[in-house]
Amino acid sequence: MKLTGADIVIECLREQNVDTIFGFPGGAVLNIYDSLYKKGEGIRHILTSHEQGAAHAADGYARATGKPGVCIATSGPGATNLVTGIATAYMDSIPLVAITGQVPSTLIGRDSFQEVDITGITEPITKHNFLVKDVNRLAETMRMAFEIATTGRPGPVLVDICKDVTADETEFIPFDGRKRLNLDIKDLYTEKDLDEAAYAIQNAKKPVILAGGGTIIAGITDLVLELSEKMMIPVSTTLMGTSAIPSSYPLYTGLLGMHGTRVSNKAVSECDLLINIGARFSDRVISDMKRFAPYAKIMHIDADPAEINKNISVHYPLTGNTDKIMKGIIERLKKVERSEWAEQVLKWKDEYRLVIPDNGQLKPSYIIKKFSEMVPDAYVTTEVGQNQIWAAQYFDYKFPRQYISSGGLGTMGYGTGAAIGIQLAKPGRKVINFAGDGSFRMNCNELATAVYYKLPIVIALLNNGTLGMVRQWQTMFYGGRHSQSTLDRGPDFVKLAEAYGAIGIRVTKKEEVVPAIEKALSQDSVPVVIDFIIDIDERVLPIVPPGKGIDQLIYT
C-alpha cells in the first residue's frame, strides 16, 4: 500500500509498540502531526510547554520502563531545544528516539527559514543520527533508529526528516521482524577469563563490589545481590547505581566517591579487590586517581569495551553480555559462610552512620526521610545539585529504577520533565521530584503540562534561596565569596503553582512537614508544589575536596 512519509512515521511508531510520544509541533513536522491526528489511534501525544521538557519527559519514561522514549520537534530552534535532553540521555545510556523536522531537501544548505544542521550538532551526543531526504528510505531508517537505540549499550538516536519527505508517497511494506543491523553485545571474554575472575574473588581477603547504572540498564541487580550474598562482599554504588541495591540490604554501604559515605570510601581505600559492575569510573567516583583503591586489583565487568581502561587500569577485564558474565562467575564460586572483612565493614557502617543533629530546624534529611516513610514505593526523580545528593542519601530505595536523575550531564531543569514522563509510564504510582529552587526555575513551565494532563506529581522544593551546591563550594573552597549564587528574587512558588492550576503549599517548620505531605499524597489528578524553606547554608556532606582522594573526606 502507498503511504505518505508522515503516515510511514506513524506506522513505524506503531510497529515499535510506542504508546506515548512527547513533543511540540511546528512547520516542518505539520504533516506528521496531521497524520497523527488522522491515523494515530493508540499513540498518545503529550504536548509539553517546551521541547526540552519533551526530551526530559521521554527520558524519564524510558528510565522508568526500560523501553525507548520518543520525542518530536520541528526544525531549527525546535530541534536545538532538544539538544540538552539528548545529551542527558547520551551520558546516562538511555534509549531515546528523537524525531525532528527539517526544511525541504531542495532548500538544505541555503540558510532557509528555521534551518539548522541538527545531525551535525548532535553527532557527538547521539549513538547515531540520520538525515532522511528520500521517502523510500524512511521506514528502514525509522526501524534502524529503534534498533540502534535499544540494542547493545542503549542511547539516543535522532532522525531528521525533510518536510517534502513527509508529503511524498511510496509503497509501504510492513515490518517483517528482521534486525537490520548486527548490534548485539559482543562477548570479548573467554572461559579462562571467567576462571581467573572467580579465582580472584574466591581468594580475595577484602573484596568490594561497585554497582553502577549499567546493572540497572542490563537488569542484573539480582545477580549483583546474589554475588554479594554468596561471597559476603560489601556493595557500594555510583550515583547512577542508586536503587540498584535495596537501602535495607545489610551489606550495602551507600554511595562511593565525592559524596560517598565514609564506610564506602574507607572500604574501597582498603580493599584488595574492587569488582566494578556496570560503572564507568567517572571523576566523581575516583577523585584523585593516585589515591583510588591503592591496594586493590581491579575487575571491570561491562557491556561496552570502550569503558575498559578508559579512566582506571584494569587487571580483570570482562566485556560482553553482563548477565552471562555474572552467571558464569557465580556458578564457579564456593559459598563463603563467614567473612571477617564483611564484619569489619559492618562495624564501620554502624560507627560512621550519618547523624544529623536535631536542632529544631527544617532539614532536607528530615523532609526526605518523611517522604520515604510515607510513600516508600514512590518513584523519585531529582534536579541537579544538593537536592540530587540528599535524595540519594536519605530516601530508602527498594527496587531498581526507583531513583531517576541526570547523572553524567548533571542537567539542571531535568526533574519536572522526567517526573511527567515517569508518571505517564507508571500511572498507579506516586512520583516525587526533589528539586532545588535554582533548578526548578529552569523547568517550572512544565507545571502547565502536568496540570493539563492531570498528573499528580509532587514537587518537593528544597528552597534555600541560592544555588546550593555552588554556594557550598564558594563557602568551602573560594573563601566565602558568594559570587552570583544568591537567588534573592521571586517568584513566590506557591503563587506560581496556583497560577498554573496546581496546588501550592509552603512549609517553614518541622511540624508542618507531615500534614503537607499527606495533602500532597491525597491528590490523584493535580500536581502539588511543596515549598520547603530551608537554611541557605545547608550543606551536602560528606564531600571530597577538589584534588583530594576519596579517603580524604570532609564529613562535619
Side-chain angles (χ1 to χ4, degrees):
M1 57 179 171
K2 279 204 166 185
L3 295 178
T4 66
D7 290 344
I8 289 171
V9 170
I10 301 305
E11 286 300 319
C12 287
L13 292 175
R14 191 174 283 113
E15 285 177 351
Q16 299 294 329
N17 298 313
V18 173
D19 56 17
T20 306
I21 60 177
F22 305 86
F24 201 95
V29 289
L30 280 179
N31 290 330
I32 296 174
Y33 272 87
D34 192 49
S35 181
L36 182 66
Y37 183 91
K38 295 183 294 185
K39 300 183 177 182
E41 185 179 354
I43 300 175
R44 172 179 54 177
H45 180 277
I46 303 300
L47 177 62
T48 57
S49 298
H50 190 281
E51 291 91 350
Q52 184 170 321
H56 292 328
D59 175 299
Y61 182 95
R63 295 193 201 218
T65 63
K67 300 190 298 184
V70 180
C71 56
I72 183 169
T74 193
S75 62
T80 58
N81 281 343
L82 292 178
V83 168
T84 298
I86 293 170
T88 300
Y90 181 75
M91 288 290 284
D92 291 347
S93 303
I94 306 304
L96 185 77
V97 175
I99 301 167
T100 54
Q102 184 53 276
V103 300
S105 57
T106 55
L107 296 181
I108 288 179
R110 298 171 181 260
D111 292 332
S112 305
F113 177 67
Q114 291 193 331
E115 179 192 0
V116 297
D117 178 11
I118 194 62
T119 54
I121 290 170
T122 60
E123 184 177 5
I125 56 166
T126 53
K127 196 173 174 187
H128 196 74
N129 61 26
F130 301 90
L131 171 60
V132 185
K133 297 189 286 186
D134 179 355
V135 70
N136 296 301
R137 301 294 303 274
L138 181 57
E140 178 185 11
T141 300
M142 287 290 294
R143 290 161 185 160
M144 285 196 295
F146 278 90
E147 186 178 344
I148 292 169
T150 57
T151 307
R153 181 176 181 170
V157 176
L158 180 133
V159 183
D160 194 33
I161 309 171
C162 293
K163 185 173 182 179
D164 54 322
V165 170
T166 64
D168 291 344
E169 288 189 342
T170 191
E171 192 69 25
F172 176 73
I173 300 173
F175 185 41
D176 59 11
R178 290 186 299 111
K179 286 187 175 182
R180 265 63 184 170
L181 304 164
N182 183 21
L183 296 175
D184 289 330
I185 294 171
K186 306 296 190 298
D187 290 332
L188 302 180
Y189 64 92
T190 65
E191 292 296 309
K192 182 182 178 183
D193 292 331
L194 295 179
D195 291 340
E196 291 178 352
Y199 181 85
I201 295 171
Q202 192 78 62
N203 290 278
K205 302 298 184 185
K206 299 179 178 181
V208 172
I209 294 171
L210 172 61
T215 64
I216 297 172
I217 292 168
I220 59 169
T221 56
D222 57 333
L223 294 175
V224 177
L225 282 170
E226 184 178 349
L227 174 61
S228 171
E229 290 174 343
K230 187 172 186 177
M231 305 306 293
M232 297 191 70
I233 303 175
V235 187
S236 62
T237 59
T238 65
L239 187 70
M240 287 300 301
T242 302
S243 78
I245 306 299
S247 300
S248 60
Y249 179 58
L251 287 173
Y252 177 55
T253 60
L255 289 176
L256 176 70
M258 177 178 284
H259 296 295
T261 62
R262 288 181 69 186
V263 59
S264 286
N265 285 16
K266 184 174 178 61
V268 168
S269 295
E270 296 192 14
C271 73
D272 61 3
L273 178 67
L274 179 59
I275 308 163
N276 175 351
I277 308 170
R280 57 188 176 87
F281 284 125
S282 78
D283 57 302
R284 291 300 174 103
V285 167
I286 62 178
S287 292
D288 180 358
M289 190 182 302
K290 295 177 181 178
R291 296 180 68 94
F292 182 77
Y295 310 113
K297 299 280 188 177
I298 308 293
M299 183 180 299
H300 193 166
I301 299 170
D302 207 287
D304 187 354
E307 294 299 338
I308 305 297
N309 293 316
K310 184 172 78 175
N311 295 326
I312 289 288
S313 297
V314 175
H315 303 87
Y316 303 99
L318 293 150
T319 57
N321 183 308
T322 52
D323 183 88
K324 287 166 56 179
I325 293 170
M326 290 293 291
K327 288 177 178 175
I329 291 173
I330 290 169
E331 69 184 13
R332 286 167 163 80
L333 295 170
K334 296 179 181 178
K335 182 176 174 58
V336 169
E337 299 298 337
R338 180 176 179 271
S339 166
E340 292 182 4
W341 167 245
E343 291 168 5
Q344 175 62 68
V345 171
L346 288 175
K347 288 179 182 177
W348 289 337
K349 182 178 177 179
D350 185 62
E351 180 182 350
Y352 299 148
R353 195 173 301 278
L354 191 59
V355 177
I356 307 298
D358 185 358
N359 57 7
Q361 290 183 334
L362 185 58
K363 293 281 187 180
S365 55
Y366 180 82
I367 295 165
I368 294 168
K369 283 189 174 295
K370 284 300 174 186
F371 269 104
S372 184
E373 292 169 8
M374 296 172 70
V375 56
D377 63 345
Y379 280 84
V380 169
T381 187
T382 79
E383 301 295 344
V384 167
Q386 290 178 318
N387 59 86
Q388 179 184 39
I389 307 302
W390 286 328
Q393 289 177 323
Y394 297 121
F395 200 94
D396 291 328
Y397 295 98
K398 298 183 179 303
F399 56 89
R401 300 186 185 274
Q402 190 177 8
Y403 175 85
I404 292 174
S405 186
S406 170
L409 195 64
T411 304
M412 293 177 69
Y414 171 80
T416 301
I420 287 169
I422 298 163
Q423 189 70 80
L424 287 160
K426 303 289 180 179
R429 305 289 279 276
K430 277 294 179 183
V431 180
I432 315 298
N433 177 31
F434 290 108
D437 49 313
S439 288
F440 186 57
R441 293 165 191 270
M442 297 186 179
N443 64 11
C444 59
N445 54 353
E446 294 305 338
L447 275 177
T449 309
V451 168
Y452 179 81
Y453 291 102
K454 297 180 168 53
L455 304 177
I457 63 174
V458 179
I459 311 293
L461 189 60
L462 304 174
N463 185 355
N464 51 10
T466 187
L467 299 175
M469 192 66 86
V470 175
R471 181 183 178 88
Q472 178 173 333
W473 274 62
Q474 289 172 335
T475 299
M476 298 179 73
F477 311 125
Y478 288 84
R481 296 180 294 277
H482 300 131
S483 177
Q484 301 302 315
S485 57
T486 302
L487 302 176
D488 51 352
R489 62 205 70 182
D492 180 321
F493 289 107
V494 171
K495 290 180 179 178
L496 180 71
E498 293 170 347
Y500 277 114
I503 294 172
I505 305 169
R506 180 164 292 112
V507 173
T508 61
K509 302 174 183 176
K510 283 182 67 175
E511 54 267 30
E512 297 170 343
V513 170
V514 170
I517 295 175
E518 287 175 341
K519 182 176 180 180
L521 297 180
S522 70
Q523 307 304 315
D524 58 10
S525 60
V526 182
V528 179
V529 176
I530 308 179
D531 187 16
F532 294 102
I533 307 301
I534 63 173
D535 188 82
I536 194 170
D537 284 313
E538 285 289 349
R539 294 192 296 172
V540 167
L541 293 172
I543 183 171
V544 175
K548 301 295 185 180
I550 64 168
D551 60 330
Q552 296 172 298
L553 277 171
I554 296 172
Y555 46 85
T556 58

